[in-house]
Amino acid sequence: MDEENDEKILNFHEMEIDDRILKAIAKLGWQIPTLIQEKAIPLLLEGKDVLVRARTGSGKTAAFSLPVIQKILSSKDTTIHQETKALILAPSKELCEQICKVVESLTIKCSREVRCIDIAPKADLQVQKPMLVEKPDIVISTPARALQHIKAGNLNIKESLDMLVIDEADLVFSFGYEDEIKDLLKYLPKIYQAILASATLSEDVKSLKSLVLHNPVTLKLEEPDLAPTTQLTHYHLAAEELEKATILYALLKLHLVRGKTIIFVNTVDKCYKIKLYLEQFGIPTCVLNSELPAKTRCHSVNQFNQGVYNIIVASDEKALEQPGEFVDRKKSKRRKDKESGVSRGIDFQFVANVINFDFPLDTQSYVHRAGRTARGNNQGSVLSFVSIKEQGLHEDVEKCLKTGHNTEESVFKKYQFKLEEVEPFKYRAQDAWRAVTRIAVREARLKEIKQEIFNCKKLKSYFEDNPNDLKVLRHDKALHTVRIQQHLADVPDYIVPPTLKNLAGVGKKRKRKGVFKKIGESSSSKYQAKKRNPLLSMKFEGFQKKKKTS
Ligand code: AMP
């Protein structure tokens, strides 16, 4: 930290926070503040302008939301006048929705006193106007949307605004919001408290800093980009494409990977390939990529967060993570939503594992993917499949993680898995993988586009006028869908490796929900191990020490 480090760790209840917020924190199960919360909250409550630089998953949303809520609650003691006191800006709709959820969960015990709305969804200005007329205490928006409402006279904060927050500040300019921010500042009062939160301190952030902040305190967390290895374990496993597919299938079907999992690949087509492949084994997944409309993406993330799906397959879009590459994105032939980010900006909650089916194309991307797990104070693991071609990329990441964790030893652990022990899985995997042809992938994507067309409100009246077009679309069946074979969903006993047979429940449906299970552990030690390091249980211990046969 740039700030002097105090030895004593401040807890939430020592921060002069309202009881109603403390109760909400308890309900969320947060026992202690994260490092950034511990440092930022007292400064923000003092009224300082702050630039917060913290890694994704460090708890920075609550670090700025909590003081905003506290200040509004305090102001309600002295005035009954309802006014919009805080404006929180973020570069994507998903991020706005995520911030809104954090604010809502922190105000659960004072929702009447502190009202918050998210105006980022692209509803008609007139539709959102009535919500703004009520002058909610906190307004969350993308810069463009906020400016539209201000200019339309729906949002007047010239006199009332006390706090301005800009989250993911490093992405704000690169998402093309520079002009909007400059314009927006003209409609703010002369004095207000400003907070910038950002994962990096790029040149863009420095420009924003000089535009928005006055004598700020910079909180630069001196912690690595990723959680420590005691909290986040990195595994690697050498495998080529088909082997990757087999291992993935075996891991999921043998319940060795448990808890919420994000599988990352490098292309949009591959997302669908994995989805269709796993579907054949009765493993439901949802896909996430920047070519999907924002609403669909939010829906997928919500379903994942709510546990409808435990696995999400995401295509990592490099350009979305690197602000400097925004211009290139505009040149892309395929339509992409500029407000979308798969690795940044969307909060996947309680992710136990990240699986890199395709190894990320650069170190930054690895860090962003890995940062989706081990968030807050939770445990997490990353398992990367590394093909011969990907070895160079793996070595680069290895070097970077060594430096980041200040160690000479490799941060990666070798994931023990003997493919020959799951031979029957291999045959099934081969068939299922080949069944997902390029045409099947294309048709799966087409099906999704059609679904979007059916759901599109703007086309509703067109279809009402032209019912035949709708009929044609509905009956235009895909020709090359993957045939689902019911038997593939089961794992018959004879294909379960002998070393796993003693495990209660392997091969059968498990009831207990958990993170991972370490092979050969008793229940209590299993629980302990889970608490210590969830990914230990992905290790096929039995394969290392094979039983002697007489
Ligand atoms: P953020 O960096 O704000 O996106 O937060 C990452 C995750 O950490 C979110 O899922 C929060 O619910 C969680 N979180 C935030 N603060 C805490 C805390 N003090 N203790 C445990 N989890 C937290």
Side-chain angles (χ1 to χ4, degrees):
M1 292 264 178
D2 286 0
E3 276 285 281
E4 215 172 290
N5 258 333
D6 272 341
E7 282 300 306
K8 191 179 170 314
I9 295 174
L10 271 186
N11 214 327
F12 287 119
H13 64 270
E14 295 167 307
M15 292 180 181
E16 294 182 34
I17 293 171
D18 193 286
D19 270 357
R20 287 163 287 185
I21 307 179
L22 290 177
K23 279 184 190 155
I25 292 173
K27 199 160 182 270
L28 283 165
W30 299 352
Q31 285 170 0
I32 50 164
T34 62
L35 184 58
I36 195 67
Q37 290 164 355
E38 190 206 334
K39 300 295 169 188
I41 294 170
L43 285 169
L44 291 171
L45 289 176
E46 263 176 50
K48 296 225 162 73
D49 275 14
V50 176
L51 169 57
V52 179
R53 183 238 180 241
R55 69 174 167 83
T56 335
S58 58
K60 65 182 157 68
T61 317
F64 62 71
S65 305
L66 225 139
V68 166
I69 299 164
Q70 175 60 43
K71 289 197 146 191
I72 292 168
L73 278 176
S74 304
S75 75
K76 300 255 163 169
D77 290 342
T78 52
T79 174
I80 49 158
H81 210 63
Q82 181 62 36
E83 279 174 328
T84 298
K85 294 261 180 212
L87 176 63
I88 303 179
L89 300 174
S92 73
K93 282 175 233 129
E94 289 96 339
L95 197 56
C96 288
E97 192 185 344
Q98 173 190 322
I99 297 168
C100 192
K101 280 197 185 134
V102 173
V103 174
E104 277 169 3
S105 55
L106 288 172
T107 52
I108 196 136
K109 301 286 174 191
C110 54
S111 52
R112 279 200 204 149
E113 290 83 353
V114 184
R115 277 177 289 144
C116 167
I117 67 157
D118 170 14
I119 54 169
K122 267 195 186 122
D124 197 88
L125 287 193
Q126 286 307 317
V127 174
Q128 289 180 337
K129 187 178 170 180
M131 297 192 279
L132 288 168
V133 168
E134 289 182 11
K135 300 185 178 167
D137 302 275
I138 305 171
V139 173
I140 302 170
S141 177
T142 57
R145 196 67 179 161
L147 191 64
Q148 281 173 348
H149 276 295
I150 289 174
K151 286 190 168 168
N154 304 339
L155 177 64
N156 186 352
I157 41 179
K158 186 91 187 157
E159 305 293 330
S160 66
L161 196 86
D162 276 344
M163 296 178 97
L164 171 73
V165 180
I166 305 182
D167 194 14
E168 297 284 354
D170 54 346
L171 297 183
V172 164
F173 278 8
S174 58
F175 272 63
Y177 290 128
E178 186 167 358
D179 293 342
E180 276 100 344
I181 291 279
K182 285 180 181 157
D183 212 3
L184 209 145
L185 293 177
K186 294 179 205 150
Y187 297 89
L188 304 188
K190 279 215 172 85
I191 301 170
Y192 55 88
Q193 183 182 9
I195 304 149
L196 289 188
S198 173
T200 63
L201 290 184
S202 62
E203 281 309 307
D204 284 349
V205 177
K206 285 177 194 150
S207 319
L208 251 182
K209 180 180 164 187
S210 59
L211 271 176
V212 178
L213 302 178
H214 306 281
N215 298 325
V217 178
T218 301
L219 285 182
K220 200 169 114 199
L221 281 194
E222 274 180 11
E223 60 174 3
D225 284 339
L226 289 174
T229 47
T230 47
Q231 193 188 341
L232 171 61
T233 322
H234 304 258
Y235 286 96
H236 72 109
L237 175 59
E240 296 308 306
E241 188 93 331
L242 204 52
E243 292 167 342
K244 293 180 181 186
T246 309
I247 296 164
L248 183 67
Y249 157 47
L251 289 177
L252 295 173
K253 276 319 252 193
L254 293 172
H255 302 276
L256 292 170
V257 176
R258 294 163 63 203
K260 289 204 183 145
T261 301
I262 307 179
I263 301 170
F264 278 106
V265 290
N266 286 345
T267 63
V268 178
D269 276 359
K270 194 76 158 286
C271 266
Y272 291 91
K273 172 121 191 172
I274 300 276
K275 182 187 164 61
L276 294 173
Y277 166 70
L278 292 177
E279 231 165 50
Q280 296 174 79
F281 302 116
I283 303 170
T285 62
C286 56
V287 294
L288 192 70
N289 61 71
S290 62
E291 289 179 5
L292 295 172
K295 221 172 152 193
T296 314
R297 291 193 310 265
C298 283
H299 185 64
S300 304
V301 176
N302 281 339
Q303 285 196 315
F304 178 71
N305 286 344
Q306 286 160 14
V308 179
Y309 292 98
N310 269 339
I311 304 168
I312 206 160
V313 189
S315 76
D316 208 345
E317 301 281 336
K318 199 174 152 207
L320 291 173
E321 301 166 13
Q322 294 187 343
E325 292 187 23
F326 175 65
V327 184
D328 292 341
R329 204 163 15 150
K330 283 184 180 164
K331 289 180 195 161
S332 167
K333 275 190 210 148
R334 280 181 177 168
R335 183 189 67 80
K336 289 179 187 177
D337 190 332
K338 79 165 182 171
E339 294 181 353
S340 150
V342 172
S343 271
R344 284 271 294 276
I346 296 181
D347 191 18
F348 302 96
Q349 283 162 12
F350 308 112
V351 177
N353 321 288
V354 163
I355 296 182
N356 285 320
F357 189 93
D358 289 335
F359 201 82
L361 297 174
D362 59 35
T363 317
Q364 271 299 87
S365 186
Y366 181 90
V367 171
H368 285 155
R369 289 182 186 189
R372 293 292 119 192
T373 178
R375 291 165 74 89
N377 293 323
N378 299 319
Q379 293 282 318
S381 61
V382 189
L383 170 65
S384 299
F385 296 148
V386 187
S387 68
I388 293 170
K389 270 192 192 158
E390 292 167 330
Q391 270 170 8
L393 295 167
H394 176 233
E395 279 159 22
D396 291 347
V397 171
E398 194 159 28
K399 267 185 231 152
C400 166
L401 291 189
K402 273 187 195 170
T403 319
H405 288 84
N406 206 9
T407 171
E408 290 288 305
E409 282 174 39
S410 175
V411 173
F412 278 97
K413 290 184 181 173
K414 192 168 177 206
Y415 184 65
Q416 302 295 330
F417 191 98
K418 289 197 175 168
L419 206 55
E420 59 270 24
E421 301 245 359
V422 288
E423 200 72 8
F425 281 78
K426 209 162 130 188
Y427 298 125
R428 289 170 158 233
Q430 250 170 23
D431 287 349
W433 189 251
R434 287 186 186 134
V436 191
T437 57
R438 275 170 65 184
I439 301 172
V441 167
R442 206 188 310 146
E443 291 193 350
R445 294 186 63 176
L446 206 67
K447 198 172 146 197
E448 203 158 61
I449 293 168
K450 272 196 217 164
Q451 205 50 50
E452 294 301 331
I453 295 173
F454 296 145
N455 293 342
C456 178
K457 280 190 189 134
K458 283 181 190 155
L459 285 174
K460 211 176 158 210
S461 56
Y462 173 84
F463 285 135
E464 275 163 11
D465 296 340
N466 304 280
N468 273 344
D469 286 3
L470 183 65
K471 226 171 158 184
V472 169
L473 262 180
R474 283 210 192 280
H475 297 284
D476 173 26
K477 265 195 177 168
L479 296 171
H480 297 87
T481 41
V482 180
R483 194 164 64 93
I484 301 289
Q485 302 177 64
Q486 287 308 327
H487 74 279
L488 284 183
D490 301 324
V491 178
D493 240 18
Y494 68 87
I495 75 166
V496 177
T499 39
L500 291 180
K501 279 215 169 119
N502 294 337
L503 254 183
V506 166
K508 292 175 198 146
K509 270 199 177 142
R510 239 178 247 271
K511 274 188 188 154
R512 188 165 63 84
K513 275 193 178 171
V515 187
F516 289 103
K517 190 166 178 122
K518 184 177 174 183
I519 313 304
E521 275 182 329
S522 71
S523 333
S524 61
S525 65
K526 249 177 270 160
Y527 178 68
Q528 293 300 327
K530 193 169 81 183
K531 280 188 93 177
R532 283 197 308 273
N533 182 356
L535 201 66
L536 268 180
S537 48
M538 282 180 79
K539 198 166 160 184
F540 268 66
E541 293 230 311
F543 292 165
Q544 288 172 297
K545 304 175 220 151
K546 262 183 133 182
K547 270 188 195 166
K548 276 183 197 161
T549 43
S550 52

